[in-house]
C-alpha cells in the first residue's frame, strides 16, 4: 500500500485475490454474535475501491445512512493501510483511529492478510466484524430489512436469486476480477488470457443488455451494482492502467448507455468520486506505474448525456422509490464529479 512492498511488487509476481479472512455476518437473528442494530456498526470504504463501492451503493439505495454510519478513507494508502487523513486530525471521528488496520488488530493481532475495504467495524468495541466483500451487500439487502427506508428496492429478490447468482459469478470471474488479473499479470500469455476473458464477457453482457434494461428481471438488482462498479472505472483506469484496451466503454454502444443509465440513477453516480478512483490506482500501484503520474483524462461530461434506455421498459426500483438526497456530509466534492 502506497510505497509498501505489496504494491511495489504488482506486475512482478502472480496475482491472486485474497479470500476474506473475517467472514462473520451481521444478521437479523445475530447467529454469529453480531445482530443487526441501528447505530452500532460503521462501514469503512474507499470511494476508489470497486468492492467498497458496492456497499456504498447498496447502503444508499436501501436508505441505511441513518442506521449504518460511514467512514471514507483516503484513496492514497501508505504502508500502514487505509488511513483516515480526510478527517480532522487524521482520525476517524467515531472509531478514534488513524488507520483501518487498528480495527483489524483489535480483532486479531498479526493476522495473515492485508487490510481491505469494505470493512464493517463494531463501533463500541472498535473491533472489525467482517471484510467479506461478497457477502456484505447481500446481507444489507436481506438481513437489514427492518431498517430499510420506506420504498427501498429489493436488490436480491428470492425468486430471481438463482439467475442473479449465475450472472454475478461470470461478472466476478471475468470482469470484476478479470481486469485485475490483466493489470497485474507477470507475463504476456497470462495478460492476454485475462484481457481476452474480460472482453469476451463484456461482449456477452452487451448482448444480454441489448434488449433488456437490467441484467436480471425488470429492475435494478445486486448483479447490476456489481457490474456497474467495474464499468464506471473502465475508461478512467482499467483501459490504460490495466491495459484492458481492446476498446473503451464509450465505444460499446450498449454498455455505455447501460452504464450511463445506472450512473444517472440516484444511488449510483452520486456515490462515485472519479478523483479518488484515479489517484488511488495511479499513485498507489507503484509496481505498474512507478512515476505515480495521474492522467488528465478521460473527459467525464458524457456520463450525464441522455441514454435512452428507458425505452426498453423496466422500473429502476420496481415497486419502490428512489432514495432521497445525499446527506450533506457524504456528498462527493465537485472535483470528483463530471
Amino acid at each position: 500500500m502506497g510505497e509498501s512492498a505489496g504494491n511495489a511488487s504488482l506486475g512482478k509476481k502472480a496475482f491472486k485475490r485474497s479470500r476474506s479472512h473475517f467472514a462473520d455476518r451481521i444478521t437479523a437473528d445475530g447467529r454469529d454474535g453480531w445482530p443487526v442494530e441501528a447505530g452500532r456498526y460503521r462501514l469503512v470504504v474507499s470511494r476508489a475501491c470497486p468492492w467498497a463501492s458496492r456497499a456504498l451503493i447498496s447502503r444508499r439505495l436501501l436508505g441505511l445512512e441513518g442506521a449504518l454510519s460511514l467512514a471514507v478513507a483516503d484513496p492514497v494508502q501508505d504502508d500502514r493501510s487505509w488511513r483516515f487523513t480526510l478527517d480532522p486530525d487524521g482520525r476517524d471521528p467515531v472509531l478514534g483511529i488513524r488507520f483501518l488496520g487498528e480495527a483489524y488488530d483489535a480483532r486479531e493481532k498479526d493476522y495473515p492478510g492485508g487490510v481491505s475495504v469494505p470493512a464493517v467495524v463494531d463501533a463500541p468495541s472498535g473491533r472489525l466484524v467482517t471484510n467479506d466483500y461478497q457477502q456484505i451487500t447481500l446481507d444489507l439487502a436481506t438481513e437489514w430489512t427492518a431498517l430499510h427506508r420506506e420504498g427501498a428496492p429489493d436488490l436480491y429478490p428470492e425468486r430471481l436469486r438463482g439467475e442473479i447468482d449465475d450472472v454475478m459469478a461470470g461478472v466476478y470471474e471475468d470482469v470484476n476480477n478479470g481486469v485485475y488479473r490483466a493489470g497485474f499479470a507477470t507475463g504476456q500469455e497470462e495478460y492476454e488470457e485475462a484481457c481476452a476473458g474480460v472482453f469476451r464477457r463484456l461482449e456477452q453482457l452487451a448482448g444480454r443488455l441489448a434488449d433488456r434494461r437490467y441484467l436480471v428481471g425488470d429492475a435494478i438488482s445486486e448483479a447490476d451494482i456489481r457490474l456497474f462498479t467495474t464499468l464506471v472505472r473502465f475508461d478512467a483506469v482499467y483501459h490504460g492502467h490495466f491495459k484492458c484496451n481492446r476498446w473503451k466503454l464509450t465505444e460499446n454502444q450498449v454498455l455505455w448507455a447501460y452504464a450511463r443509465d445506472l450512473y444517472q440513477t440516484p444511488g449510483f453516480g452520486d456515490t462515485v468520486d472519479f478523483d479518488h478512483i484515479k489517484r488511488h490506482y495511479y499513485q498507489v500501484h507503484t509496481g505498474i506505474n512507478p512515476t505515480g503520474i495521474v492522467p488528465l483524462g478521460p473527459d467525464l461530461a458524457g456520463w450525464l448525456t441522455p441514454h435512452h434506455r428507458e425505452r426498453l421498459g423496466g422500473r429502476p426500483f420496481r415497486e419502490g422509490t428512489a432514495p432521497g438526497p445525499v446527506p450533506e456530509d457524504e456528498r462527493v466534492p465537485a472535483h470528483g464529479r463530471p
Side-chain angles (χ1 to χ4, degrees):
M1 300 171 184
E3 290 299 323
S4 69
N7 286 292
S9 68
L10 295 175
K12 299 179 178 65
K13 63 180 182 179
F15 171 73
K16 184 178 181 181
R17 183 165 301 283
S18 300
R19 296 181 63 182
S20 299
H21 185 71
F22 301 99
D24 286 5
R25 294 175 59 189
I26 300 170
T27 57
D29 64 7
R31 55 186 177 272
D32 283 358
W34 308 104
V36 170
E37 185 179 328
R40 175 172 176 176
Y41 305 101
R42 190 150 175 85
L43 174 65
V44 182
V45 303
S46 164
R47 293 189 187 275
C49 172
W51 320 99
S53 290
R54 297 175 179 181
L56 267 175
I57 293 169
S58 297
R59 172 180 174 271
R60 174 141 164 70
L61 291 176
L62 299 172
L64 290 170
E65 293 98 326
L68 177 62
S69 67
L70 181 68
V72 178
D74 192 309
V76 180
Q77 305 147 291
D78 70 11
D79 292 351
R80 294 161 292 183
S81 84
W82 298 99
R83 51 189 184 162
F84 297 109
T85 48
L86 303 180
D87 295 303
D89 301 321
R91 289 185 183 275
D92 179 81
V94 172
L95 302 175
I97 57 178
R98 294 186 181 276
F99 301 93
L100 176 57
E102 295 175 57
Y104 277 64
D105 287 341
R107 172 68 185 270
E108 182 181 325
K109 193 72 174 176
D110 300 322
Y111 79 99
V115 176
S116 63
V117 289
V120 182
V121 179
D122 178 48
S125 68
R127 297 170 63 212
L128 177 75
V129 177
T130 177
N131 66 347
D132 190 347
Y133 61 92
Q134 298 283 49
Q135 189 64 43
I136 286 172
T137 49
L138 297 180
D139 284 343
L140 291 181
T142 60
E143 297 289 339
W144 290 64
T145 53
L147 299 176
H148 288 181
R149 66 178 174 86
E150 185 177 355
D154 186 350
L155 299 174
Y156 196 47
E158 193 164 359
R159 64 184 179 84
L160 297 175
R161 286 180 190 175
E163 186 177 359
I164 291 172
D165 289 346
D166 183 61
V167 171
M168 291 194 305
V171 168
Y172 171 79
E173 180 64 27
D174 296 328
V175 181
N176 299 150
N177 202 43
V179 293
Y180 281 84
R181 288 189 289 110
F184 296 154
T186 59
Q188 189 69 31
E189 184 176 351
E190 179 188 356
Y191 157 73
E192 289 186 9
E193 180 181 356
C195 187
V198 168
F199 286 95
R200 184 168 55 246
R201 181 67 65 177
L202 288 177
E203 286 161 0
Q204 290 175 359
L205 292 165
R208 181 182 183 93
L209 289 163
D211 59 359
R212 62 168 74 189
R213 191 171 180 185
Y214 304 108
L215 281 173
V216 181
D218 62 355
I220 290 165
S221 73
E222 176 79 13
D224 297 294
I225 295 172
R226 296 190 181 197
L227 178 57
F228 173 80
T229 57
T230 295
L231 294 183
V232 79
R233 289 162 173 76
F234 203 86
D235 288 3
V237 290
Y238 300 146
H239 180 273
H241 185 55
F242 279 178
K243 306 180 185 69
C244 293
N245 62 356
R246 286 186 57 191
W247 40 262
K248 295 178 181 178
L249 176 65
T250 55
E251 295 168 349
N252 185 293
Q253 183 177 359
V254 172
L255 291 180
W256 176 223
Y258 166 79
R260 298 199 319 275
D261 186 5
L262 291 177
Y263 185 87
Q264 294 170 32
T265 300
F268 284 82
D270 50 30
T271 69
V272 175
D273 190 324
F274 284 105
D275 175 65
H276 279 207
I277 290 169
K278 289 169 58 176
R279 288 197 291 120
H280 170 73
Y281 281 87
Y282 287 103
Q283 293 184 334
V284 171
H285 296 163
T286 56
I288 55 176
N289 187 42
T291 65
I293 293 173
V294 180
L296 293 175
D299 183 0
L300 302 176
W303 284 101
L304 302 179
T305 59
H307 53 78
H308 305 299
R309 294 278 296 178
E310 63 277 353
R311 297 172 182 172
L312 296 174
R315 294 168 293 174
F317 307 106
R318 205 170 273 108
E319 290 80 17
T321 58
V326 180
E328 186 173 354
D329 61 346
E330 295 185 11
R331 291 176 186 168
V332 175
H335 60 266
R337 295 181 272 125

